[in-house]
Every structure is written in C-alpha cells, then in structure tokens.
Amino acid sequence: MKKWSRYSLLIESEKHSCYFLFNTISNLLWELDSESAKILMDLRDNKISCEDLDDDTKALLSENKIITDSDDTELAKLKLLKHYHRMDNSIMALTIAPTLECNLRCSYCFEQTHPNIRMSDEVEDAIVDFIKQHSSVWNLQVTWFGGEPLLYFDRIESLTKKILSIQTIKNYKAEIVTNGVGFNAEIISKLIELHIDSVFVTLDG
Ligand code: SF4
C-alpha cells in the first residue's frame, strides 16, 4: 500500500504565501496552494491515507515518487543505478580545474592553501590523450571546477574544442561550478557551443 515518501518535503513559504513540494529522488518541485498543501500535510501526518485520494491524484503522486510502496526499494534502485553506471565503460565523467585561482577570498575555503596556478598546454594535451586511451568511452561528461573556472575561460574553450574533435566521443555534456562573479554576456553566449548545460553557482562563496 502506498504511503508518504520520506524523501518528500513540504515547505511553507511565508514570503510567497504558498507551499513548495519537493522530492529528493525524482527532483520534482511543485508550488502548491494552501488547499492542496493541506491535503498533502494530512497525508504526510497520517490523518488520511492514500486510499482517500482520487485515482488521478494518486497516480500523479506515485509517478513523481511523492508517495511510494517502499522508501527502501526506491533507495535500493538508486544504489543499483549508481553501481550500474560505475561498471559501464562507455561513460566517463571528469572533473577538470582549468585554474586554482579565485577572485574571492572566502574565509572557510579549503582552496586557499593551493597555489594560484593555471593549466598548461601540456596538461591539456595529457587530458585529451587520457580520453583517447579509453576508446570504449563515447559518452563523456565534464564538470568544470576550480578555483574559479571562469578566470581561465580560454582554457575551457580550447580543451572543449579538442574534446569535441575526438572521434570516439559521440555524446559530450558539461557543467560548471562557479561563484558566478566572472559571468558576462560574451561568456554566457558561448555556453551552448561549449555544451555547458548546467551552471551551479555557489551562493555562499
Ligand atoms: S568562491 Fe569558492 S573557490 Fe573562491 S574562495 Fe570562495 S569558496 Fe573558495
């Protein structure tokens, strides 16, 4: 029998006068009015059961993992998927720091003890060779990291160009973790051609 998932969170936003529903497994995020939120709160707090919901609502909640037969099964599925990807030699995921420099000086930063060095041409070529050596890999995912990677955007451009020219790579995706300070219109306009489709801005930094 379905029940509220422990991975579903219902959060009241006083600022927006609404509720948000988030599920950490499906990544679903819904904005809810107070009437819908009340029904879900009752479900979460066991004041009503899933059997009290109409079939469409039940199907929608189930599809998005808000309610589940078993949280343990959902967790086991995630673990299995993780192991499956680890054994799949067609996928490679690399985290690459074009530079260890940063334009901020956050007091808690573990990076501060690192030297302010930038990636050399030799290291760039070594990365390309490393990818080529793994000829079974056709699906490559790169996370640009730092320091602050935007401080050496030229390197991101040159290395991406070389990666895209590797014949065996059929699917290339990238993301960037940045403090966002260095963004400007020119850099933003280049993200698509560099296949950077996710940007994580570390607000604390
Ligand atoms: S923005 Fe990030 S890398 Fe830069 S100093 Fe702050 S925490 Fe460190």
Side-chain angles (χ1 to χ4, degrees):
M1 197 197 319
K2 302 265 184 205
K3 63 181 177 55
W4 183 263
S5 164
R6 69 174 175 240
Y7 300 108
S8 297
L9 305 169
L10 202 49
I11 302 152
E12 183 176 7
S13 167
E14 286 179 17
K15 185 173 172 194
H16 297 97
S17 309
C18 68
Y19 290 80
F20 291 104
L21 175 63
F22 180 61
N23 182 275
T24 58
I25 288 192
S26 65
N27 267 342
L28 167 125
L29 177 65
W30 278 339
E31 182 179 334
L32 301 175
D33 58 29
S34 52
E35 194 181 331
S36 308
K38 167 84 175 65
I39 295 170
L40 292 184
M41 270 187 271
D42 286 349
L43 187 63
R44 179 193 64 189
D45 300 339
N46 294 319
K47 291 179 182 165
I48 60 171
S49 80
C50 290
E51 302 315 306
D52 297 318
L53 303 172
D54 64 66
D55 288 347
D56 287 347
T57 307
K58 210 160 45 175
L60 190 65
L61 294 177
S62 179
E63 203 176 296
N64 290 289
K65 317 267 187 215
I66 305 300
I67 57 175
T68 179
D69 290 312
S70 160
D71 283 320
D72 292 341
T73 305
E74 296 300 336
L75 188 60
K77 277 191 219 166
L78 272 187
K79 284 183 178 169
L80 192 64
L81 206 58
K82 198 168 89 179
H83 289 306
Y84 172 78
H85 285 311
R86 275 189 188 154
M87 289 185 285
D88 185 347
N89 63 4
S90 69
I91 300 173
M92 180 185 280
L94 296 177
T95 299
I96 304 176
T99 177
L100 292 178
E101 304 164 292
C102 188
N103 44 4
L104 297 182
R105 289 287 175 272
C106 306
S107 56
Y108 52 82
C109 180
F110 69 95
E111 308 264 19
Q112 287 188 3
T113 51
H114 294 167
N116 279 345
I117 52 172
R118 293 183 159 200
M119 183 187 292
S120 64
D121 290 344
E122 288 72 28
V123 172
E124 176 176 286
D125 288 340
I127 292 171
V128 173
D129 285 345
F130 175 78
I131 298 167
K132 284 180 178 169
Q133 282 163 19
H134 295 79
S135 54
S136 62
V137 172
W138 58 268
N139 190 348
L140 178 65
Q141 297 164 18
V142 165
T143 300
W144 298 108
F145 193 68
E148 170 45 47
L150 291 182
L151 288 181
Y152 201 15
F153 197 69
D154 288 354
R155 184 59 76 192
I156 294 179
E157 287 187 278
S158 64
L159 184 46
T160 302
K161 205 180 281 181
K162 288 185 182 174
I163 288 172
L164 290 173
S165 72
I166 300 173
Q167 304 262 311
T168 46
I169 301 301
K170 304 294 179 210
N171 187 34
Y172 173 67
K173 270 174 69 163
E175 61 187 20
I176 188 166
V177 181
T178 166
N179 61 34
V181 174
F183 272 125
N184 58 37
E186 192 191 345
I187 287 180
I188 290 170
S189 71
K190 289 179 175 173
L191 294 182
I192 290 176
E193 68 185 77
L194 296 172
H195 296 237
I196 298 174
D197 63 4
S198 297
V199 175
F200 299 91
V201 178
T202 51
L203 290 177
D204 55 343

mmCIF file of all heavy atoms in Angstrom, residues 76-110:
data_model
loop_
_atom_site.group_PDB
_atom_site.id
_atom_site.type_symbol
_atom_site.label_atom_id
_atom_site.label_comp_id
_atom_site.label_asym_id
_atom_site.label_seq_id
_atom_site.Cartn_x
_atom_site.Cartn_y
_atom_site.Cartn_z
ATOM 1 N N ALA A 76 17.195 1.464 -2.875
ATOM 2 C CA ALA A 76 17.929 0.338 -3.487
ATOM 3 C C ALA A 76 18.046 0.542 -4.994
ATOM 4 O O ALA A 76 19.091 0.252 -5.588
ATOM 5 C CB ALA A 76 17.208 -0.967 -3.171
ATOM 6 N N LYS A 77 16.987 1.075 -5.629
ATOM 7 C CA LYS A 77 17.033 1.318 -7.079
ATOM 8 C C LYS A 77 18.126 2.339 -7.409
ATOM 9 O O LYS A 77 18.873 2.181 -8.365
ATOM 10 C CB LYS A 77 15.682 1.874 -7.558
ATOM 11 C CG LYS A 77 14.622 0.838 -7.816
ATOM 12 C CD LYS A 77 13.469 1.519 -8.520
ATOM 13 C CE LYS A 77 12.153 1.019 -8.052
ATOM 14 N NZ LYS A 77 11.012 1.830 -8.435
ATOM 15 N N LEU A 78 18.209 3.397 -6.586
ATOM 16 C CA LEU A 78 19.239 4.419 -6.808
ATOM 17 C C LEU A 78 20.641 3.839 -6.673
ATOM 18 O O LEU A 78 21.527 4.124 -7.465
ATOM 19 C CB LEU A 78 19.078 5.548 -5.786
ATOM 20 C CG LEU A 78 18.145 6.694 -6.110
ATOM 21 C CD1 LEU A 78 18.269 7.772 -5.044
ATOM 22 C CD2 LEU A 78 18.446 7.299 -7.476
ATOM 23 N N LYS A 79 20.814 2.999 -5.648
ATOM 24 C CA LYS A 79 22.134 2.393 -5.422
ATOM 25 C C LYS A 79 22.513 1.479 -6.585
ATOM 26 O O LYS A 79 23.653 1.477 -7.042
ATOM 27 C CB LYS A 79 22.122 1.600 -4.114
ATOM 28 C CG LYS A 79 22.188 2.490 -2.886
ATOM 29 C CD LYS A 79 22.248 1.650 -1.628
ATOM 30 C CE LYS A 79 22.357 2.507 -0.387
ATOM 31 N NZ LYS A 79 22.160 1.761 0.843
ATOM 32 N N LEU A 80 21.525 0.725 -7.061
ATOM 33 C CA LEU A 80 21.757 -0.197 -8.175
ATOM 34 C C LEU A 80 22.167 0.587 -9.427
ATOM 35 O O LEU A 80 23.099 0.216 -10.136
ATOM 36 C CB LEU A 80 20.482 -0.996 -8.436
ATOM 37 C CG LEU A 80 20.604 -2.192 -9.371
ATOM 38 C CD1 LEU A 80 21.526 -3.233 -8.770
ATOM 39 C CD2 LEU A 80 19.236 -2.797 -9.626
ATOM 40 N N LEU A 81 21.473 1.680 -9.661
ATOM 41 C CA LEU A 81 21.767 2.526 -10.828
ATOM 42 C C LEU A 81 23.191 3.077 -10.744
ATOM 43 O O LEU A 81 23.917 3.135 -11.730
ATOM 44 C CB LEU A 81 20.756 3.677 -10.857
ATOM 45 C CG LEU A 81 20.443 4.306 -12.209
ATOM 46 C CD1 LEU A 81 19.924 3.259 -13.184
ATOM 47 C CD2 LEU A 81 19.405 5.409 -12.023
ATOM 48 N N LYS A 82 23.576 3.465 -9.524
ATOM 49 C CA LYS A 82 24.921 4.006 -9.322
ATOM 50 C C LYS A 82 25.980 2.941 -9.642
ATOM 51 O O LYS A 82 26.936 3.192 -10.356
ATOM 52 C CB LYS A 82 25.070 4.484 -7.870
ATOM 53 C CG LYS A 82 26.229 5.432 -7.678
ATOM 54 C CD LYS A 82 26.178 6.103 -6.344
ATOM 55 C CE LYS A 82 26.905 5.264 -5.321
ATOM 56 N NZ LYS A 82 26.931 5.840 -3.986
ATOM 57 N N HIS A 83 25.750 1.718 -9.135
ATOM 58 C CA HIS A 83 26.696 0.621 -9.415
ATOM 59 C C HIS A 83 26.724 0.293 -10.912
ATOM 60 O O HIS A 83 27.779 0.040 -11.484
ATOM 61 C CB HIS A 83 26.323 -0.629 -8.619
ATOM 62 C CG HIS A 83 26.590 -0.478 -7.153
ATOM 63 N ND1 HIS A 83 27.813 -0.102 -6.667
ATOM 64 C CD2 HIS A 83 25.800 -0.635 -6.074
ATOM 65 C CE1 HIS A 83 27.765 -0.025 -5.353
ATOM 66 N NE2 HIS A 83 26.549 -0.339 -4.971
ATOM 67 N N TYR A 84 25.547 0.322 -11.534
ATOM 68 C CA TYR A 84 25.453 0.018 -12.962
ATOM 69 C C TYR A 84 26.301 1.016 -13.761
ATOM 70 O O TYR A 84 27.075 0.649 -14.635
ATOM 71 C CB TYR A 84 23.986 0.079 -13.395
ATOM 72 C CG TYR A 84 23.782 -0.019 -14.886
ATOM 73 C CD1 TYR A 84 23.865 -1.254 -15.535
ATOM 74 C CD2 TYR A 84 23.541 1.115 -15.651
ATOM 75 C CE1 TYR A 84 23.701 -1.342 -16.902
ATOM 76 C CE2 TYR A 84 23.375 1.035 -17.011
ATOM 77 C CZ TYR A 84 23.456 -0.203 -17.633
ATOM 78 O OH TYR A 84 23.310 -0.277 -18.986
ATOM 79 N N HIS A 85 26.170 2.315 -13.431
ATOM 80 C CA HIS A 85 26.935 3.337 -14.149
ATOM 81 C C HIS A 85 28.437 3.184 -13.910
ATOM 82 O O HIS A 85 29.239 3.449 -14.796
ATOM 83 C CB HIS A 85 26.464 4.740 -13.748
ATOM 84 C CG HIS A 85 25.141 5.094 -14.364
ATOM 85 N ND1 HIS A 85 24.884 4.917 -15.702
ATOM 86 C CD2 HIS A 85 24.010 5.612 -13.834
ATOM 87 C CE1 HIS A 85 23.657 5.296 -15.971
ATOM 88 N NE2 HIS A 85 23.096 5.722 -14.856
ATOM 89 N N ARG A 86 28.809 2.747 -12.680
ATOM 90 C CA ARG A 86 30.235 2.556 -12.391
ATOM 91 C C ARG A 86 30.842 1.472 -13.270
ATOM 92 O O ARG A 86 32.008 1.512 -13.613
ATOM 93 C CB ARG A 86 30.413 2.145 -10.928
ATOM 94 C CG ARG A 86 30.457 3.343 -10.020
ATOM 95 C CD ARG A 86 30.848 2.907 -8.632
ATOM 96 N NE ARG A 86 30.715 4.002 -7.696
ATOM 97 C CZ ARG A 86 30.495 3.861 -6.406
ATOM 98 N NH1 ARG A 86 30.385 2.663 -5.895
ATOM 99 N NH2 ARG A 86 30.401 4.905 -5.613
ATOM 100 N N MET A 87 30.031 0.469 -13.618
ATOM 101 C CA MET A 87 30.556 -0.649 -14.402
ATOM 102 C C MET A 87 30.433 -0.420 -15.909
ATOM 103 O O MET A 87 30.903 -1.221 -16.696
ATOM 104 C CB MET A 87 29.822 -1.932 -14.006
ATOM 105 C CG MET A 87 30.212 -2.411 -12.624
ATOM 106 S SD MET A 87 29.483 -3.982 -12.194
ATOM 107 C CE MET A 87 27.808 -3.507 -11.855
ATOM 108 N N ASP A 88 29.767 0.663 -16.287
ATOM 109 C CA ASP A 88 29.548 0.941 -17.707
ATOM 110 C C ASP A 88 30.788 1.645 -18.279
ATOM 111 O O ASP A 88 31.036 2.807 -17.980
ATOM 112 C CB ASP A 88 28.303 1.839 -17.832
ATOM 113 C CG ASP A 88 27.924 2.074 -19.275
ATOM 114 O OD1 ASP A 88 28.749 1.766 -20.162
ATOM 115 O OD2 ASP A 88 26.820 2.567 -19.507
ATOM 116 N N ASN A 89 31.575 0.916 -19.100
ATOM 117 C CA ASN A 89 32.818 1.524 -19.589
ATOM 118 C C ASN A 89 32.615 2.400 -20.825
ATOM 119 O O ASN A 89 33.575 2.813 -21.458
ATOM 120 C CB ASN A 89 33.917 0.473 -19.813
ATOM 121 C CG ASN A 89 33.527 -0.517 -20.882
ATOM 122 O OD1 ASN A 89 32.482 -0.383 -21.506
ATOM 123 N ND2 ASN A 89 34.358 -1.524 -21.091
ATOM 124 N N SER A 90 31.367 2.691 -21.154
ATOM 125 C CA SER A 90 31.127 3.626 -22.265
ATOM 126 C C SER A 90 30.992 5.062 -21.753
ATOM 127 O O SER A 90 30.947 6.004 -22.528
ATOM 128 C CB SER A 90 29.873 3.227 -23.041
ATOM 129 O OG SER A 90 28.730 3.451 -22.241
ATOM 130 N N ILE A 91 30.911 5.201 -20.418
ATOM 131 C CA ILE A 91 30.724 6.531 -19.827
ATOM 132 C C ILE A 91 31.979 6.952 -19.069
ATOM 133 O O ILE A 91 32.556 6.152 -18.329
ATOM 134 C CB ILE A 91 29.541 6.518 -18.831
ATOM 135 C CG1 ILE A 91 28.243 6.120 -19.529
ATOM 136 C CG2 ILE A 91 29.374 7.886 -18.162
ATOM 137 C CD1 ILE A 91 27.080 5.916 -18.575
ATOM 138 N N MET A 92 32.381 8.196 -19.264
ATOM 139 C CA MET A 92 33.463 8.743 -18.439
ATOM 140 C C MET A 92 33.013 10.098 -17.902
ATOM 141 O O MET A 92 32.434 10.902 -18.631
ATOM 142 C CB MET A 92 34.737 8.913 -19.265
ATOM 143 C CG MET A 92 35.893 9.488 -18.466
ATOM 144 S SD MET A 92 37.351 9.829 -19.506
ATOM 145 C CE MET A 92 38.060 8.191 -19.635
ATOM 146 N N ALA A 93 33.266 10.319 -16.617
ATOM 147 C CA ALA A 93 32.942 11.614 -16.012
ATOM 148 C C ALA A 93 34.231 12.199 -15.437
ATOM 149 O O ALA A 93 34.896 11.561 -14.628
ATOM 150 C CB ALA A 93 31.895 11.439 -14.921
ATOM 151 N N LEU A 94 34.590 13.377 -15.900
ATOM 152 C CA LEU A 94 35.818 14.018 -15.436
ATOM 153 C C LEU A 94 35.504 15.346 -14.762
ATOM 154 O O LEU A 94 34.630 16.087 -15.232
ATOM 155 C CB LEU A 94 36.749 14.313 -16.624
ATOM 156 C CG LEU A 94 37.302 13.115 -17.395
ATOM 157 C CD1 LEU A 94 38.129 13.614 -18.579
ATOM 158 C CD2 LEU A 94 38.139 12.237 -16.490
ATOM 159 N N THR A 95 36.202 15.623 -13.680
ATOM 160 C CA THR A 95 36.136 16.947 -13.057
ATOM 161 C C THR A 95 37.462 17.641 -13.355
ATOM 162 O O THR A 95 38.518 17.119 -13.011
ATOM 163 C CB THR A 95 35.920 16.815 -11.535
ATOM 164 O OG1 THR A 95 34.668 16.139 -11.325
ATOM 165 C CG2 THR A 95 35.868 18.183 -10.873
ATOM 166 N N ILE A 96 37.379 18.767 -14.035
ATOM 167 C CA ILE A 96 38.601 19.422 -14.515
ATOM 168 C C ILE A 96 38.693 20.848 -13.971
ATOM 169 O O ILE A 96 37.736 21.623 -14.083
ATOM 170 C CB ILE A 96 38.629 19.462 -16.065
ATOM 171 C CG1 ILE A 96 38.488 18.053 -16.641
ATOM 172 C CG2 ILE A 96 39.909 20.117 -16.562
ATOM 173 C CD1 ILE A 96 38.418 17.994 -18.155
ATOM 174 N N ALA A 97 39.845 21.163 -13.390
ATOM 175 C CA ALA A 97 40.077 22.526 -12.886
ATOM 176 C C ALA A 97 41.013 23.252 -13.861
ATOM 177 O O ALA A 97 42.210 22.940 -13.893
ATOM 178 C CB ALA A 97 40.704 22.472 -11.497
ATOM 179 N N PRO A 98 40.504 24.202 -14.637
ATOM 180 C CA PRO A 98 41.385 24.935 -15.550
ATOM 181 C C PRO A 98 42.376 25.818 -14.794
ATOM 182 O O PRO A 98 43.454 26.131 -15.297
ATOM 183 C CB PRO A 98 40.440 25.805 -16.379
ATOM 184 C CG PRO A 98 39.059 25.466 -15.965
ATOM 185 C CD PRO A 98 39.116 24.638 -14.727
ATOM 186 N N THR A 99 41.986 26.205 -13.584
ATOM 187 C CA THR A 99 42.875 27.033 -12.762
ATOM 188 C C THR A 99 42.527 26.839 -11.290
ATOM 189 O O THR A 99 41.396 26.477 -10.954
ATOM 190 C CB THR A 99 42.732 28.532 -13.115
ATOM 191 O OG1 THR A 99 43.562 29.286 -12.244
ATOM 192 C CG2 THR A 99 41.295 29.020 -12.980
ATOM 193 N N LEU A 100 43.516 27.073 -10.428
ATOM 194 C CA LEU A 100 43.238 27.040 -8.986
ATOM 195 C C LEU A 100 43.081 28.449 -8.423
ATOM 196 O O LEU A 100 42.871 28.635 -7.228
ATOM 197 C CB LEU A 100 44.355 26.298 -8.246
ATOM 198 C CG LEU A 100 44.422 24.791 -8.538
ATOM 199 C CD1 LEU A 100 45.589 24.162 -7.789
ATOM 200 C CD2 LEU A 100 43.126 24.102 -8.137
ATOM 201 N N GLU A 101 43.186 29.470 -9.308
ATOM 202 C CA GLU A 101 42.997 30.861 -8.849
ATOM 203 C C GLU A 101 41.534 31.087 -8.479
ATOM 204 O O GLU A 101 40.644 30.421 -8.999
ATOM 205 C CB GLU A 101 43.277 31.847 -9.978
ATOM 206 C CG GLU A 101 44.621 31.762 -10.623
ATOM 207 C CD GLU A 101 44.592 32.515 -11.945
ATOM 208 O OE1 GLU A 101 43.919 32.063 -12.879
ATOM 209 O OE2 GLU A 101 45.245 33.561 -12.019
ATOM 210 N N CYS A 102 41.310 32.069 -7.632
ATOM 211 C CA CYS A 102 39.929 32.504 -7.386
ATOM 212 C C CYS A 102 39.922 34.018 -7.180
ATOM 213 O O CYS A 102 40.916 34.595 -6.744
ATOM 214 C CB CYS A 102 39.321 31.795 -6.183
ATOM 215 S SG CYS A 102 37.558 32.177 -6.027
ATOM 216 N N ASN A 103 38.786 34.620 -7.544
ATOM 217 C CA ASN A 103 38.660 36.078 -7.391
ATOM 218 C C ASN A 103 37.961 36.464 -6.081
ATOM 219 O O ASN A 103 37.687 37.620 -5.840
ATOM 220 C CB ASN A 103 37.920 36.689 -8.585
ATOM 221 C CG ASN A 103 36.698 35.874 -8.962
ATOM 222 O OD1 ASN A 103 36.369 34.897 -8.293
ATOM 223 N ND2 ASN A 103 36.027 36.255 -10.018
ATOM 224 N N LEU A 104 37.657 35.458 -5.245
ATOM 225 C CA LEU A 104 37.109 35.742 -3.916
ATOM 226 C C LEU A 104 38.060 35.155 -2.864
ATOM 227 O O LEU A 104 38.959 34.387 -3.201
ATOM 228 C CB LEU A 104 35.694 35.150 -3.756
ATOM 229 C CG LEU A 104 34.606 35.705 -4.688
ATOM 230 C CD1 LEU A 104 33.265 35.059 -4.372
ATOM 231 C CD2 LEU A 104 34.492 37.214 -4.573
ATOM 232 N N ARG A 105 37.832 35.525 -1.633
ATOM 233 C CA ARG A 105 38.695 35.034 -0.549
ATOM 234 C C ARG A 105 37.835 34.584 0.631
ATOM 235 O O ARG A 105 37.906 35.139 1.722
ATOM 236 C CB ARG A 105 39.651 36.153 -0.076
ATOM 237 C CG ARG A 105 40.733 36.509 -1.065
ATOM 238 C CD ARG A 105 41.827 35.422 -1.146
ATOM 239 N NE ARG A 105 42.802 35.737 -2.190
ATOM 240 C CZ ARG A 105 42.683 35.387 -3.472
ATOM 241 N NH1 ARG A 105 41.618 34.697 -3.869
ATOM 242 N NH2 ARG A 105 43.596 35.713 -4.345
ATOM 243 N N CYS A 106 36.991 33.600 0.400
ATOM 244 C CA CYS A 106 36.096 33.134 1.461
ATOM 245 C C CYS A 106 36.935 32.542 2.600
ATOM 246 O O CYS A 106 37.837 31.732 2.346
ATOM 247 C CB CYS A 106 35.148 32.081 0.915
ATOM 248 S SG CYS A 106 34.252 32.669 -0.526
ATOM 249 N N SER A 107 36.615 32.941 3.814
ATOM 250 C CA SER A 107 37.470 32.590 4.951
ATOM 251 C C SER A 107 37.543 31.082 5.186
ATOM 252 O O SER A 107 38.550 30.565 5.655
ATOM 253 C CB SER A 107 36.957 33.292 6.203
ATOM 254 O OG SER A 107 35.604 32.949 6.389
ATOM 255 N N TYR A 108 36.465 30.364 4.821
ATOM 256 C CA TYR A 108 36.419 28.932 5.109
ATOM 257 C C TYR A 108 36.989 28.081 3.991
ATOM 258 O O TYR A 108 37.003 26.863 4.074
ATOM 259 C CB TYR A 108 34.961 28.506 5.345
ATOM 260 C CG TYR A 108 34.056 28.944 4.213
ATOM 261 C CD1 TYR A 108 33.982 28.197 3.044
ATOM 262 C CD2 TYR A 108 33.327 30.115 4.304
ATOM 263 C CE1 TYR A 108 33.184 28.613 1.997
ATOM 264 C CE2 TYR A 108 32.519 30.527 3.255
ATOM 265 C CZ TYR A 108 32.452 29.779 2.111
ATOM 266 O OH TYR A 108 31.666 30.193 1.071
ATOM 267 N N CYS A 109 37.459 28.725 2.922
ATOM 268 C CA CYS A 109 37.764 27.977 1.692
ATOM 269 C C CYS A 109 38.983 27.072 1.846
ATOM 270 O O CYS A 109 40.058 27.519 2.227
ATOM 271 C CB CYS A 109 37.987 28.949 0.548
ATOM 272 S SG CYS A 109 38.354 28.082 -0.987
ATOM 273 N N PHE A 110 38.780 25.794 1.481
ATOM 274 C CA PHE A 110 39.900 24.847 1.545
ATOM 275 C C PHE A 110 40.875 25.081 0.406
ATOM 276 O O PHE A 110 41.969 24.549 0.387
ATOM 277 C CB PHE A 110 39.373 23.412 1.513
ATOM 278 C CG PHE A 110 38.781 23.015 0.184
ATOM 279 C CD1 PHE A 110 39.548 22.355 -0.762
ATOM 280 C CD2 PHE A 110 37.467 23.310 -0.118
ATOM 281 C CE1 PHE A 110 39.006 21.992 -1.992
ATOM 282 C CE2 PHE A 110 36.915 22.951 -1.340
ATOM 283 C CZ PHE A 110 37.686 22.301 -2.273
#
